[in-house]
């Protein structure tokens, strides 16, 4: 009760105070105070509206960025990645560099090589390297490349990658002192009428890279083969490529750097680029061709460079409106060919076949990657087992053929010996028969000889009788004559 009474008194007191104040200030002061209060209220409302608008704009921008990122993720990867999102290439140190020898100049295959090696590599190249990025095999920031660029123009050119970053060779190598630098150039301008100019400008570029990145290992990559009957047949032929690949190998030996012979996996038995690696124009490579190059690089690393760690590609979809293209005499590209080439480079060509790496590298979880690796390993083991079984079957077949051949030779030899034995027996039978015939003729000859002997004896006797007979007949005559002569 006392509490209610106190509240009533207080309320009455406050009411009296307000009335007294109004009487003192007057109507004019009240109006000014009311107006001031109104202005303050309006100002507060305006500030609230501005703040809300700003928040809405930020939200809208955030939604827009998220929407673009979502669309490009659907297309195959992240877009406009922040600096921290892009994989960082490892930096070279004084102990990283090694000089090649006559035995190590040509990079050899390493068994069990891992993709972590690529975390220590950067690539300087032309449209073929751009394709490696756009197919998702190389990270965008790990490649300094441009469509149509030739090695004489490389050092002075300005490049822009898919993320929109601009570089020159000097600024790129200043921030990308990688343990291994690959140079994938030489196909553009290969029809240079001055061979001396081609060679000297290439050597100059190599020297510039070596000077800007003194701790890095430099790898000259062989110029990949083409189709001699492709779109660019008037600009490049495999005979030219073979000639300049010899030059690159000789240069690598002289400068004690390295040489990667990717041509050996891309070239078919006919000396042309394999059909499954042909991107369609005879010069650029398909997704399978890029994948073959990727695997070859991993399997033929620079000695003593670690391959540990996980290699993940942060795919950035190329923007056709932002890609730089060189269309000079050295590039061989003209306006009639640029549209098809851009479609090929940005993934819209009908004959482009993206690999698993280019479409899944940015979206796969670690579990999916692990599962994929296990499946690939299992498939590789099965393939290896199948090859071993095939090899074993071939060896068995070869062994069986050899045994059959040996058996056939033995049978042939036995047949020859049998024929020889038959001939010997036949000869013996003939000899025996001949001897038998000879023994039968011998008695007959004796009888004939005996008969002829008797005849001879008889003839002799007759002859003797014939000779003696006259002597006997003459004796009486002689006696008569003698007697007659003695007669007186």
């Amino acid at each position: 009760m006392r509490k209610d009474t106190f509240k009533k008194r207080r309320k009455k007191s406050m009411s009296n105070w307000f009335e007294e104040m109004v009487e003192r200030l007057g109507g004019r002061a009240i109006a000014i105070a009311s107006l001031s209060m109104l202005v303050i209220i309006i100002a507060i409302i305006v500030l609230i509206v501005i703040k809300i608008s700003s928040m809405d704009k930020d939200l809208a921008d955030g939604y827009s960025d998220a929407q673009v990122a979502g669309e490009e993720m659907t297309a195959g990867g992240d877009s406009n990645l922040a600096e921290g999102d892009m994989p960082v290439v490892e930096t070279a140190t004084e102990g990283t560099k090694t000089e090649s020898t006559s035995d190590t100049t040509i990079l050899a295959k390493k068994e069990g090589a891992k993709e972590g090696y690529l975390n220590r590599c950067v690539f300087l190249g032309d449209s073929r390297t751009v394709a490696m990025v756009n197919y998702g095999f190389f990270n965008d920031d790990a490649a300094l490349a441009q469509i149509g660029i030739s090695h004489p123009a490389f050092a002075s050119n300005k490049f822009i990658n898919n993320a929109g970053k601009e570089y020159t060779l000097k600024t790129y190598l200043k921030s990308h002192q990688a343990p291994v630098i690959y140079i994938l150039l030489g196909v553009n301008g290969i029809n240079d009428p001055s061979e001396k100019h081609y060679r000297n400008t290439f050597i100059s570029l190599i020297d510039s890279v070596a000077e800007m990145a003194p701790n890095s290992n430099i790898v000259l990559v062989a110029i990949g083969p083409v189709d001699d009957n492709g779109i660019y047949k008037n600009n490049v032929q495999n005979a030219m490529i073979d000639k300049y690949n010899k030059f690159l190998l000789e240069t690598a030996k002289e400068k004690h750097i390295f040489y990667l012979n990717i041509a050996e996996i891309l070239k078919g038995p006919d000396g042309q680029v394999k059909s499954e690696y042909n991107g369609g124009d005879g010069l650029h490579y398909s997704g399978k061709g890029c994948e073959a190059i990727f695997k070859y690089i991993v399997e033929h690393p620079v000695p003593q460079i670690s391959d540990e760690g996980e290699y993940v590609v942060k795919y950035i979809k190329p923007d056709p409106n932002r890609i730089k293209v060189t269309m000079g005499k050295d590039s061989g590209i003209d306006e009639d060919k640029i549209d098809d080439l851009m479609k090929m480079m940005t993934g819209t060509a009908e004959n482009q076949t993206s690999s698993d790496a280019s479409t899944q590298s940015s979206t796969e979880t670690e579990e999916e990657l692990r599962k994929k690796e296990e499946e690939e390993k299992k498939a590789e083991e099965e393939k290896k087992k199948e090859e071993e079984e095939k090899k074993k079957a071939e060896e068995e077949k070869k062994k069986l053929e050899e045994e059959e051949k040996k058996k056939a030779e033995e049978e042939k030899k036995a047949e020859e010996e049998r024929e020889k034995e038959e001939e010997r027996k036949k000869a013996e039978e003939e000899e025996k028969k001949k001897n038998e015939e000879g023994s039968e003729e011998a008695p007959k000859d004796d009888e004939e000889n005996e008969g002829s002997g008797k005849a001879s004896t008889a003839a002799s006797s007759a002859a003797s009788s014939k000779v003696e007979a006259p002597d006997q007949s003459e004796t009486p005559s002689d006696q008569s004559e003698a007697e007659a002569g003695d007669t007186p």
Side-chain angles (χ1 to χ4, degrees):
M1 191 69 158
R2 286 182 65 186
K3 193 174 182 179
D4 292 339
T5 304
F6 176 77
K7 284 182 179 180
K8 287 179 181 179
R9 285 179 181 177
R10 188 179 177 184
K11 187 176 180 180
K12 185 176 181 182
S13 176
M14 288 290 290
S15 177
N16 293 335
W17 175 81
F18 183 74
E19 289 175 359
E20 288 176 2
M21 180 179 252
V22 170
E23 287 177 0
R24 288 177 185 176
L25 292 174
R28 186 177 179 183
I30 292 172
I32 293 171
S34 299
L35 185 60
S36 298
M37 290 292 291
L38 183 62
V39 169
I40 292 169
I41 292 169
I42 291 172
I44 292 170
I45 292 171
V46 169
L47 287 172
I48 291 170
V49 170
I50 291 171
K51 184 68 176 176
I52 291 171
S53 299
S54 177
M55 290 175 66
D56 288 343
K57 186 176 183 300
D58 291 340
L59 287 171
D61 291 341
Y63 174 76
S64 179
D65 290 342
Q67 185 179 28
V68 171
E71 289 174 355
E72 298 202 352
M73 281 289 286
T74 302
D78 301 330
S79 174
N80 300 324
L81 293 166
E83 187 74 26
D85 293 333
M86 182 60 67
V88 178
V89 176
E90 191 172 301
T91 303
T93 61
E94 289 184 5
T96 305
K97 189 172 182 178
T98 180
E99 290 190 349
S100 69
T101 65
S102 57
D103 295 329
T104 61
T105 300
I106 300 176
L107 293 174
K109 187 173 183 179
K110 176 185 175 183
E111 294 298 331
K114 302 173 185 176
E115 293 181 5
Y117 169 76
L118 293 175
N119 292 323
R120 296 153 187 98
C121 307
V122 294
F123 305 88
L124 313 179
D126 47 36
S127 54
R128 290 172 167 183
T129 306
V130 172
M132 295 294 292
V133 173
N134 290 350
Y135 278 110
F137 291 102
F138 295 161
N139 272 306
D140 182 47
D141 204 49
L144 186 71
Q146 183 173 304
I147 297 171
I149 193 73
S150 62
H151 64 270
F154 201 88
S156 60
N157 190 65
K158 286 186 178 181
F159 301 83
I160 182 169
N161 62 16
N162 289 350
K165 294 181 182 178
E166 292 188 7
Y167 293 106
T168 62
L169 176 62
K170 186 176 181 179
T171 59
Y172 183 80
L173 291 181
K174 186 176 180 180
S175 58
H176 293 73
Q177 295 279 319
V180 185
I181 298 174
Y182 287 87
I183 299 178
L184 303 94
L185 294 164
V187 70
N188 295 327
I190 202 168
N191 61 342
D192 191 331
S194 172
E195 186 176 333
K196 184 178 180 181
H197 176 261
Y198 184 99
R199 292 171 180 262
N200 289 345
T201 49
F202 217 124
I203 291 171
S204 177
L205 175 63
I206 296 167
D207 291 341
S208 296
V209 172
E211 184 179 353
M212 295 175 191
N215 296 325
S216 300
N217 295 290
I218 297 174
V219 180
L220 301 182
V221 181
I223 305 168
V226 297
D227 179 0
D228 284 336
N229 298 311
I231 295 174
Y232 296 92
K233 62 184 178 182
N234 295 328
N235 301 95
V236 57
Q237 291 280 308
N238 283 300
M240 303 176 191
I241 291 174
D242 294 340
K243 178 178 72 174
Y244 283 117
N245 276 340
K246 290 180 181 178
F247 155 70
L248 291 177
L249 177 56
E250 291 169 1
T251 303
K253 289 179 179 178
E254 289 172 4
K255 293 185 174 293
H256 296 285
I257 55 180
F258 299 94
Y259 178 80
L260 185 71
N261 187 21
I262 63 170
E264 70 175 353
I265 55 157
L266 299 173
K267 186 182 290 188
D270 57 354
Q272 309 293 309
V273 61
K274 292 179 181 177
S275 58
E276 64 266 32
Y277 297 157
N278 190 341
D281 61 2
L283 175 66
H284 298 94
Y285 300 133
S286 64
K288 287 184 178 179
C290 290
E291 187 174 12
I293 295 170
F294 172 84
K295 288 182 177 179
Y296 193 87
I297 292 172
V298 171
E299 293 173 352
H300 296 75
V302 171
Q304 301 177 8
I305 301 298
S306 172
D307 61 2
E308 295 300 324
E310 184 181 5
Y311 178 68
V312 179
V313 176
K314 295 293 184 180
Y315 184 80
I316 298 178
K317 185 179 178 182
D319 182 357
N321 298 318
R322 193 166 57 192
I323 293 177
K324 290 189 71 177
V325 179
T326 299
M327 288 192 293
K329 184 176 71 173
D330 289 343
S331 70
I333 300 171
D334 55 40
E335 293 183 1
D336 294 335
K337 300 171 184 175
I338 190 63
D339 288 340
D340 292 337
L341 181 57
M342 290 299 289
K343 287 177 182 178
M344 185 185 299
M345 290 294 114
T346 56
T348 55
E350 291 181 2
N351 62 346
Q352 182 166 331
T353 55
S354 298
S355 67
D356 291 340
S358 65
T359 56
Q360 297 179 9
S361 59
S362 61
T363 58
E364 289 178 326
T365 63
E366 291 184 4
E367 181 64 25
E368 288 172 338
L369 285 170
R370 186 185 63 77
K371 188 176 179 181
K372 182 182 174 183
E373 287 176 359
E374 288 177 354
E375 289 175 353
E376 288 177 351
K377 187 177 180 181
K378 187 177 179 182
E380 186 68 25
E381 289 175 352
E382 289 178 354
K383 184 179 178 182
K384 190 175 179 181
K385 187 177 178 181
E386 185 178 344
E387 288 176 353
E388 288 176 353
E389 289 177 352
K390 187 178 179 182
K391 187 178 178 181
K392 189 177 179 181
E394 288 176 353
E395 289 176 352
E396 290 288 335
K397 184 180 178 182
K398 189 177 179 181
K399 187 178 179 182
L400 185 63
E401 288 176 351
E402 288 176 352
E403 288 177 354
E404 289 178 353
K405 185 178 178 182
K406 188 177 179 181
K407 187 178 178 182
E409 288 175 353
E410 290 176 351
E411 288 178 353
K412 185 178 179 181
K413 188 176 179 181
E415 182 68 23
E416 289 175 353
E417 289 178 355
R418 188 164 56 251
E419 289 177 356
K420 190 175 179 181
E421 180 67 20
E422 288 177 356
E423 289 176 358
R424 187 182 63 78
K425 286 181 178 180
K426 187 176 180 182
E428 287 179 353
E429 289 176 358
E430 289 177 353
E431 183 67 25
K432 185 178 179 182
K433 187 176 180 182
K434 186 176 179 182
N435 291 336
E436 288 176 353
E437 289 176 353
S439 61
E440 288 176 357
E441 290 175 356
K444 187 177 180 181
D445 290 339
D446 292 341
E447 290 177 359
E448 290 177 355
N449 289 334
E450 186 178 351
S452 61
K454 290 179 178 179
S456 298
T457 304
S460 298
S461 300
S464 298
S465 301
K466 192 175 180 180
V467 170
E468 291 175 355
D471 292 340
Q472 292 174 359
S473 59
E474 287 177 357
T475 303
S477 172
D478 290 340
Q479 289 177 354
S480 299
E481 287 178 358
E483 288 176 357
D486 288 342
T487 303

